[in-house]
Amino acid sequence: MHFQEKLSLLVKQTFFYHISFSKVATTVSILISASDSIVTKFLLPFEASKKFTVFEFNQYSQWNFEELQKQHKKLIDKVTDIVGDLYSSIDDPKLLHVDDSDFKEIKRKNPNITQLMILEQKKENERVSRTQKMETEITAITGFLRMLDYLVLENLRRSCYEAFKNADLIVSSDLSAIFTIEVSFSDDGDIVFTPNKEGMLDIVDKMMNQALDKLDSLPRLTQMPQLRDIFTKSGIDLSDLNLNGPSLRDILETAPNIKEATDHIKEVISTAYDNAYSYSQNLVNFYPLYKIGKNWDVRDYIKKRNGEKYTGTGRFS
């Protein structure tokens, strides 16, 4: 096929001959790319020197999830408005209206019956042509909208990988101090961590799974009520599309990157607990002193002049 033949086929595609499609595609692509920082910033709460307690970690995670939802919703709303404006410019009944003034025949003085009949036929042909063009463009914008939805999914996937990779690097750093763990003695004199290793691993595992669920539940273009009419006019079952179409969670579950990062994070935390336990064995020798300190009271060694036990505050000035 020669170049001119290929070109003639190419320019018949709405995306190429309709300049608004190209402008919207460029604008939306820039917006979607800008969303990378939203996911990497708010998806996972690991920070190198925060020294979170468990309560603070859970609270910070929830705040991050809420902020992620809020920021992503703003992005989707912007894209929805842009696509909605494009659709309004295409699905406009005024575009189907054909005037006599659109044809040079009407400019003739005193046109005869034959000329007027030709004019009416041309007007009808133009109406049919414009109607077909509108139907083609509405069908095209449906595919275009689904493409944008896939672009959002792909961007979320890539950003999710990056967020898990960054979290792994932060946790693995020797200089990180992400959590604050309480150290105490058990009744039999052993070292006890609060939360213990199993509890901490469970907290981290639940948080990371929750992060994936939150990411998967972010609003999508195919779920926006303002764009529902686009799919309806193209005969697409939107309920079936949202139920059986591609989901972010399906994409993420097939990728090894996230599981590898999650497993390594938990491995690093587990090793840190084991090393801390080994190091803390030096404290076991102080257990007798700790036990005495639990019950020791200076008032046991103070008596009043009459020989009775002193029961005051224990503060002396």
Side-chain angles (χ1 to χ4, degrees), residues 183-192 283-287 290:
V183 182
S184 61
F185 288 106
S186 65
D187 292 338
D188 58 0
D190 194 13
I191 297 296
V192 175
L283 302 176
V284 172
N285 295 330
F286 296 96
Y287 177 68
Y290 166 80

Side-chain angles (χ1 to χ4, degrees), residues 92-100 102 123 126-127 130:
D92 185 355
K94 294 179 181 178
L95 297 176
L96 301 180
H97 181 70
V98 181
D99 289 321
D100 292 345
D102 294 336
K123 287 170 62 179
E126 180 64 20
R127 274 191 289 269
R130 292 186 185 187

Side-chain angles (χ1 to χ4, degrees), residues 45-190:
F46 298 106
E47 294 190 21
S49 302
K50 277 291 187 179
K51 299 181 181 179
F52 290 115
T53 64
V54 170
F55 176 79
E56 290 170 342
F57 183 71
N58 288 332
Q59 288 290 101
Y60 192 56
S61 298
Q62 292 304 315
W63 183 87
N64 271 5
F65 293 151
E66 292 172 5
E67 196 64 24
L68 173 63
Q69 177 82 15
K70 187 188 305 181
Q71 296 295 332
H72 184 78
K73 181 64 165 57
K74 288 181 180 179
L75 168 70
I76 293 299
D77 285 343
K78 286 181 180 179
V79 177
T80 298
D81 289 341
I82 293 171
V83 176
D85 289 343
L86 173 61
Y87 178 64
S88 297
S89 70
I90 291 173
D91 188 33
D92 185 355
K94 294 179 181 178
L95 297 176
L96 301 180
H97 181 70
V98 181
D99 289 321
D100 292 345
S101 58
D102 294 336
F103 301 90
K104 62 182 181 180
E105 284 83 352
I106 198 62
K107 297 178 182 179
R108 296 177 180 176
K109 293 181 179 180
N110 302 319
N112 57 39
I113 297 298
T114 302
Q115 291 171 333
L116 291 175
M117 290 176 63
I118 293 174
L119 175 63
E120 288 303 316
Q121 185 59 52
K122 286 186 175 182
K123 287 170 62 179
E124 179 61 24
N125 292 341
E126 180 64 20
R127 274 191 289 269
V128 171
S129 176
R130 292 186 185 187
T131 301
Q132 292 175 341
K133 181 173 180 288
M134 179 180 288
E135 291 173 351
T136 300
E137 290 176 353
I138 289 176
T139 301
I141 199 174
T142 304
F144 179 66
L145 180 54
R146 293 185 67 178
M147 180 192 73
L148 295 180
D149 184 62
Y150 295 152
L151 285 176
V152 173
L153 283 181
E154 172 60 22
N155 194 74
L156 289 176
R157 178 200 65 79
R158 187 177 64 251
S159 300
C160 180
Y161 290 170
E162 192 66 26
F164 272 74
K165 178 183 175 182
N166 290 343
D168 190 9
L169 291 173
I170 291 171
V171 173
S172 302
S173 173
D174 293 336
L175 300 177
S176 289
I178 300 171
F179 298 106
T180 295
I181 308 299
E182 294 184 4
V183 182
S184 61
F185 288 106
S186 65
D187 292 338
D188 58 0
D190 194 13

Side-chain angles (χ1 to χ4, degrees), residues 287-305:
Y287 177 68
L289 183 61
Y290 166 80
K291 193 172 183 180
I292 292 173
K294 294 285 286 186
N295 301 312
W296 187 84
D297 191 338
V298 67
R299 290 172 293 189
D300 292 338
Y301 302 93
I302 302 174
K303 291 185 179 181
K304 298 180 181 179
R305 290 182 178 179

